[in-house]
Amino acid sequence: MIDYQFIKANTAAEALKILADKNNVKIIAGGTDVLVELHKESRDLEMIDYLLDISGIEELKEIKIAEDKVEIGSLVTHSRLLKNKFFAENIPFLTAAAKDIGSTQIRNRGTVGGNVCNASPAADLFAPLLALESEVVLRSQKGKRNLKITDFIKGPYKTHIRNDELLEKVVFKIPAGEYYCNFQKIGRRKALNISRLCLAFLTVIEDGVIKKAHLVPGAATPYPTPFKKIDDYLEGKLLAEIDPAETGKMAADAMVEITGERWSTPYKRPALSKLAERALSCVKEEAGYDG
Ligand SMILES: Cc1cc2nc3c(=O)[nH]c(=O)nc-3n(C[C@H](O)[C@H](O)[C@H](O)COP(=O)(O)OP(=O)(O)OC[C@H]3O[C@@H](n4cnc5c(N)ncnc54)[C@H](O)[C@@H]3O)c2cc1C
């Protein structure tokens, strides 16, 4: 049995002091990942001496929306994310990703920060957050640092967070001009729907031309990675002339280039191709180029 002392911090300052003063501290937010690992007596948790509960820290629960920028506190739950009107109206693929996470109970407990820090290849929020070119704000007693979310991920279940740091918030710029986004997901079954595959697509259009494209699959590669090759292919083309099926196949090929042929490739190749096709078709339809 893993033996540890449970500590609860009520403010970020308290949590940061504990992280600075003590060794072998494991943060717990909603606990939907950590408690599973503790229950399994995961080897990764054998070394912990303290479980630091940050779930009561109010200052980490804020969603701030400015004119061009969004800040999501690390303790914002998936339920709060999906109920947020601004996101539903302006960043709907984030709402769609949050809506499909687990079950109501998981969405009520699970947090944005936990999803990002756990860095599971199947973490659903990563795809839209990567497509939005988000940054994470990490805080320690020494100060704050911002990291691009792409630079924050070190590998599957690994990030560049230091032992004395807390993820304070995730920030991103609201896309400017005419933009469209879409999220697609396939899970094993509806009730507790951990992604078999998901995909987020965001594009900015100017006079019908794709100025910016971000296609990011989830659970397709060892850790969430933007498919820059597809983005480069799409950018500069007329949205009306994009063939979603062909782009879908290219995305599937890009996945296999990263992963190599694996036991899951016969399933994932056509599945990812279809998800990308659907995302692009939805965006074309929404933009009025489906004819
Ligand atoms: C039945 C079930 C279904 C699920 N379905 C899905 C799904 O469909 N999609 C999906 O993406 N996920 C799913 N999950 C995984 C999980 O619910 C999410 O990843 C959730 O967002 C984790 O948040 P949490 O607050 O519970 O994290 P916790 O379990 O509290 O923590 C997760 C990790 O993040 C660290 N951490 C948390 N907050 C911080 C912080 N502020 N600063 C630094 N480190 C921090 C912890 O130390 C730990 O390493 C599911 C889990 C279960 C049990």
Side-chain angles (χ1 to χ4, degrees):
M1 201 176 120
I2 297 172
D3 198 18
Y4 58 84
Q5 196 182 323
F6 185 83
I7 322 175
K8 190 168 171 71
N10 294 311
T11 63
E14 258 177 57
L16 295 178
K17 182 163 175 14
I18 292 162
L19 290 169
D21 290 351
K22 298 190 189 300
N23 292 322
N24 304 327
V25 182
K26 181 73 182 166
I27 291 175
I28 181 167
T32 59
D33 282 316
V34 172
L35 290 176
V36 174
E37 292 307 304
L38 273 175
H39 186 69
K40 282 197 300 200
E41 304 199 355
S42 159
R43 293 185 74 178
D44 292 344
L45 295 184
E46 274 173 8
M47 296 301 291
I48 67 164
D49 291 325
Y50 302 95
L51 193 61
L52 173 59
D53 180 7
I54 60 165
S55 63
I57 303 178
E58 290 302 320
E59 65 208 87
L60 301 180
K61 296 182 184 175
E62 284 181 59
I63 298 176
K64 284 190 192 158
I65 297 162
E67 206 172 305
D68 63 343
K69 196 175 139 192
V70 168
E71 298 186 357
I72 304 175
S74 65
L75 287 180
V76 170
T77 61
H78 305 307
S79 293
R80 276 196 56 218
L81 204 61
L82 79 89
K83 283 181 196 144
N84 183 288
K85 263 190 158 184
F86 177 85
F87 294 145
E89 282 164 17
N90 297 282
I91 324 273
F93 72 163
L94 197 54
T95 309
K99 192 166 166 237
D100 265 353
I101 290 179
S103 58
T104 307
Q105 294 88 335
I106 296 291
R107 290 191 293 273
N108 285 346
R109 289 293 311 171
T111 63
V112 173
N115 201 256
V116 169
C117 289
N118 196 49
S120 156
D124 280 319
L125 293 185
F126 261 116
L129 290 176
L130 279 163
L132 286 159
E133 299 177 74
S134 306
E135 290 188 357
V136 293
V137 180
L138 302 169
R139 194 168 147 193
S140 74
Q141 278 201 325
K142 293 177 196 142
K144 291 191 192 192
R145 62 182 180 128
N146 282 40
L147 275 185
K148 285 186 187 160
I149 199 162
T150 37
D151 297 335
F152 179 63
I153 315 170
K154 202 189 218 169
Y157 302 100
K158 302 255 178 295
T159 70
H160 285 283
I161 195 163
R162 293 195 313 248
N163 288 342
D164 64 341
E165 283 178 325
L166 190 71
L167 171 67
E168 185 180 72
K169 57 193 168 189
V170 177
V171 300
F172 58 83
K173 286 204 179 111
I174 301 164
E178 184 185 353
Y179 66 92
Y180 303 93
C181 60
N182 191 267
F183 179 79
Q184 299 284 332
K185 171 169 171 171
I186 323 176
R188 208 186 289 248
R189 64 194 170 101
K190 202 72 196 139
L192 294 170
N193 212 1
I194 290 184
S195 279
R196 294 287 290 185
L197 270 180
C198 69
L199 182 136
F201 180 61
L202 172 74
T203 185
V204 179
I205 310 289
E206 211 176 284
D207 298 327
V209 176
I210 300 176
K211 284 283 155 201
K212 210 183 220 188
H214 288 311
L215 186 123
V216 190
T221 49
Y223 54 92
T225 316
F227 277 13
K228 196 164 176 318
K229 197 173 171 180
I230 306 300
D231 300 348
D232 290 345
Y233 164 77
L234 292 171
E235 285 172 14
K237 295 202 166 54
L238 284 167
L239 179 59
E241 287 176 2
I242 293 296
D243 179 346
E246 188 193 325
T247 314
K249 285 194 187 107
M250 288 173 64
D253 288 345
M255 171 185 72
V256 179
E257 268 173 39
I258 297 171
T259 60
E261 289 283 341
R262 305 180 63 204
W263 64 270
S264 56
T265 307
Y267 164 75
K268 287 202 170 177
R269 187 193 280 275
L272 183 72
S273 173
K274 208 67 195 168
L275 288 193
E277 181 184 336
R278 274 189 210 151
L280 278 149
S281 299
C282 288
V283 160
K284 280 186 79 170
E285 188 181 340
E286 203 187 332
Y289 295 120
D290 55 335

